[in-house]
Amino acid sequence: MFTQGKYRQRIGTFISMDGLEPQRVVNGGVGSKRYRITFKGPGGHSYSAFGLVNPMAAMSQTVVDFYKLQVPATPKTTYSASVVSGGTSVNSIPNEVFMEFDMRSEDPGELAKVEKAFLAIVHASVEGENKARSTREGKVEADIKPIGDRPAGSTPATAAIVRIASGVIEKKGLKPNLASSSTDSNLPMSLGIPRSPSGRAARAAGRTRWTNGSTSNGVTASAACRSALRSFSQPQARNDRPT
């Protein structure tokens, strides 16, 4: 819709409404990079083939070195080694193992840094294992597969969409809380399209109880949407660039 759709050049504002926090206005998009790394090797019997390279050793070293990375608290940047599988039996050197990794940041520059460092660690771990043990039956290799890519971005607090969402929240007697999150608004924010998710995001109106269609502050979800959409009846230029 935003990059290839017929009307992509005509999108001036994007509003997303979801969540349970009526005062929260999400004007920052937490970007993420995710990988599945499959480490492969010749395998062999744990006794008779002892001394051959082991892809699990390379994978383990990747995790150890990955968790040595220092990342900033602000902008918040995180990483995780999350899913692991592989091997065939307890008495075998595995010929294949894999692990999935997740990296996130509020800032695209910091996300790029941690991603670059991670990939360098993967290559170094493979190289280190091939130097540490015998490769007479073959070397350890890493198959690097991206499995997730969500761009980071932000909409300035001074942007009309954020000010309007905050104004609606203030009208209900609440104090707006600007925040960052990973939502379907990441892409438009990264492209500089003014946007904000409300309710858990600026949901232009307050928490929605879907069981009865009203919010805890007496405003219905439909009324909230109408209020927000009326505020954006005039086209807006894409002049709020992401950071």
Side-chain angles (χ1 to χ4, degrees):
M1 179 172 72
F2 296 104
T3 59
Q4 300 179 21
K6 181 179 179 180
Y7 301 106
R8 63 187 183 279
Q9 297 301 324
R10 297 173 59 182
I11 301 174
T13 301
F14 183 79
I15 301 173
S16 174
M17 301 182 72
D18 64 74
L20 299 175
E21 300 173 51
Q23 73 278 14
R24 193 178 188 207
V25 180
V26 176
N27 68 318
V30 177
S32 63
K33 294 282 187 177
R34 294 170 178 167
Y35 284 89
R36 171 180 285 197
I37 311 296
T38 303
F39 297 84
K40 302 177 181 180
H45 193 275
S46 61
Y47 185 79
S48 60
F50 180 73
L52 294 183
V53 288
N54 188 332
M56 191 173 290
M59 181 178 71
S60 300
Q61 191 62 54
T62 295
V63 175
V64 170
D65 291 343
F66 188 37
Y67 271 76
K68 292 179 182 178
L69 290 180
Q70 299 297 309
V71 292
T74 305
K76 186 174 181 178
T77 303
T78 66
Y79 53 77
S80 176
S82 307
V83 177
V84 64
S85 184
T88 55
S89 68
V90 70
N91 62 341
S92 299
I93 299 172
N95 67 321
E96 183 174 305
V97 295
F98 79 83
M99 183 171 284
E100 293 179 352
F101 299 85
D102 173 85
M103 292 155 275
R104 298 178 180 232
S105 182
E106 299 172 347
D107 180 80
E110 292 298 332
L111 182 59
K113 287 180 184 178
V114 72
E115 178 188 26
K116 182 179 179 180
F118 166 71
L119 294 175
I121 287 170
V122 172
H123 292 300
S125 297
V126 168
E127 183 179 350
E129 177 60 14
N130 286 329
K131 288 181 178 179
R133 273 161 279 280
S134 174
T135 59
R136 69 177 184 272
E137 298 295 334
K139 294 184 176 182
V140 168
E141 298 178 345
D143 179 22
I144 301 172
K145 180 183 179 182
I147 57 173
D149 185 354
R150 176 170 283 187
S154 67
T155 299
T158 55
I161 188 170
V162 179
R163 289 188 285 105
I164 291 172
S166 297
V168 173
I169 293 170
E170 289 174 342
K171 276 287 187 179
K172 301 309 298 179
L174 300 174
K175 183 178 179 180
N177 175 30
L178 301 188
S180 294
S181 186
S182 184
T183 73
D184 57 359
S185 293
N186 277 53
L187 181 56
M189 277 197 292
S190 73
L191 296 173
I193 298 172
R195 115 346 143 184
S196 190
S198 254
R200 180 187 220 164
R203 294 26 164 171
R207 173 169 55 200
T208 300
R209 290 179 181 169
W210 297 109
T211 54
N212 60 16
S214 67
T215 70
S216 59
N217 298 301
V219 98
T220 64
S222 59
C225 288
R226 288 196 300 270
S227 175
L229 292 174
R230 280 197 300 270
S231 301
F232 297 106
S233 59
Q234 298 300 319
Q236 298 183 43
R238 299 188 189 186
N239 53 9
D240 293 320
R241 305 308 302 169
T243 59

